[in-house]
Amino acid sequence: MPSLLLCCCWKWLCLQSWAPGQQHPEHVAGAGEDTDPSEITFPGCNCLTASCVTNTCSCLRHGENYNNSCIKYIGSEVDYTRPIFECNAMCRCGEFCQNRVIQRGLQFRLEVFKTVKKGWGLRTLEFIPKGRFVCEYAGEVLCFHEACRRIQAQTPEDSNYIIAVREHLYDGQIIETFVDPMNIGNVGRFLNHSCEPNLFMVPVRIDSLVPKLALFAAVAVSAGEELSYDYSGRFLNVPLIKREQEMLEEDDVMKKPCYCGAKSCVGFLPYDSSLCYTPGPDQGRATHRP
């Protein structure tokens, strides 16, 4: 069974006023991307029950994903990094199967608000239990070269929302997903970085090979509290490999100050320069599939 590592590295935090874009709750195919995020590519399970169980459901071949709508393996590095597949549109189980969580959408009332130093932010208006799904980070799914083109067209003053998610398989292969919610996206784009976040991100697959970037509560979150996650992907994750650590620490000139206010704040936002240099045509990148 493959063991997955999530690494999410953003280049800049949006410190300017947000320019309204099209609201869309799920991923859409962006420029240069040949995979349709809404295409049904997985076969469904044959469970003729209201809710699926392990050992009999093909979608749960890696183990149970949720317990009472909470992600089951929160806090366990070994199990947390395993792949998550929810039951999909082709499955024969019930609408309220316990393995259908992300696809039900927002379950909590969230509010976009203006912060003092960080531009726009997102907070919850009600209590969120530990382990519950909060929201997706949705936007245009890009190919590597388009993500590079957009990054390189920006100036240091421009807002950047592009996220790079790298899933590391046991055999050394890497599945990459690039999402940009600048023009098309959902409330997830308003989430700010924190060195001690209350959310963490997990790639979850339902119908498509393209993962949904699901954000779960790492701790119990009180009403009125700002929601945040670690842009570097290090929080509740296995250690980064050497090259990824170097990418986060290099190029002091490009670093932006972090205003998270956490006791363990490192002072700067995570920085990943891998999208700033486009490889030659013979240096392809595998995305969405091993």
Side-chain angles (χ1 to χ4, degrees):
M1 182 177 72
S3 176
L4 303 186
L5 167 68
L6 171 66
C7 177
C8 313
C9 305
W10 280 28
K11 185 179 175 186
W12 293 298
L13 176 69
C14 173
L15 299 180
Q16 287 75 38
S17 296
W18 172 69
Q22 182 179 345
Q23 300 297 308
H24 200 281
E26 298 182 341
H27 289 328
V28 298
E33 178 54 51
D34 58 1
T35 302
D36 184 355
S38 64
E39 182 181 1
I40 301 175
T41 55
F42 294 139
C45 66
N46 293 315
C47 302
L48 297 176
T49 57
S51 187
C52 297
V53 295
T54 54
N55 301 323
T56 60
C57 178
S58 59
C59 298
L60 295 175
R61 59 188 178 276
H62 297 298
E64 191 174 38
N65 297 318
Y66 309 110
N67 183 8
N68 293 325
S69 297
C70 294
I71 190 167
K72 188 173 181 181
Y73 295 100
I74 182 172
S76 172
E77 287 187 349
V78 176
D79 289 319
Y80 163 70
T81 56
R82 66 180 179 79
I84 291 182
F85 294 88
E86 287 196 2
C87 291
N88 58 53
M90 301 298 290
C91 292
R92 303 181 69 181
C93 57
E95 178 184 355
F96 298 103
C97 172
Q98 66 171 349
N99 196 40
R100 297 180 187 270
V101 173
I102 308 305
Q103 58 198 267
R104 294 175 188 162
L106 293 174
Q107 301 295 310
F108 299 98
R109 292 181 298 132
L110 309 178
E111 179 183 52
V112 176
F113 73 106
K114 195 65 175 293
T115 69
V116 176
K117 292 183 177 181
K118 299 177 290 186
W120 296 102
L122 186 67
R123 61 188 170 199
T124 177
L125 297 179
E126 57 187 303
F127 173 76
I128 301 177
K130 178 181 178 180
R132 287 290 300 274
F133 167 66
V134 177
C135 68
E136 287 184 47
Y137 189 83
E140 291 182 90
V141 179
L142 309 176
C143 70
F144 173 70
H145 288 277
E146 175 61 17
C148 288
R149 188 196 68 77
R150 294 190 184 189
I151 288 291
Q152 294 169 17
Q154 294 176 345
T155 68
E157 290 72 34
D158 290 333
S159 302
N160 175 52
Y161 294 87
I162 295 177
I163 189 171
V165 176
R166 301 183 179 93
E167 300 171 86
H168 295 247
L169 278 64
Y170 70 97
D171 60 357
Q173 296 186 72
I174 301 176
I175 303 175
E176 296 184 310
T177 305
F178 305 98
V179 176
D180 184 4
M182 179 63 182
N183 298 312
I184 302 176
N186 68 344
V187 294
R189 62 179 147 197
F190 297 108
L191 290 165
N192 283 312
H193 166 80
S194 176
C195 298
E196 294 180 12
N198 49 25
L199 304 181
F200 66 100
M201 181 179 284
V202 177
V204 177
R205 289 173 170 83
I206 304 177
D207 295 317
S208 172
L209 288 167
V210 181
K212 292 181 178 294
L213 307 183
L215 289 143
F216 295 87
V219 295
V221 186
S222 302
E225 188 175 343
E226 181 177 1
L227 299 168
S228 62
Y229 72 104
D230 185 347
Y231 290 177
S232 73
R234 287 172 289 187
F235 180 69
L236 285 184
N237 219 326
V238 294
L240 300 180
I241 60 176
K242 181 179 179 181
R243 175 55 189 147
E244 287 169 340
Q245 186 64 40
E246 291 173 349
M247 288 191 300
L248 293 174
E249 295 176 349
E250 65 188 7
D251 222 338
D252 288 343
V253 177
M254 301 301 293
K255 287 185 176 179
K256 300 293 181 180
C258 176
Y259 299 112
C260 73
K263 292 181 179 180
S264 63
C265 180
V266 298
F268 297 94
L269 294 175
Y271 172 68
D272 179 356
S273 63
S274 66
L275 297 182
C276 295
Y277 308 99
T278 307
D282 59 335
Q283 295 177 276
R285 310 275 288 222
T287 59
H288 310 317
R289 54 183 68 85

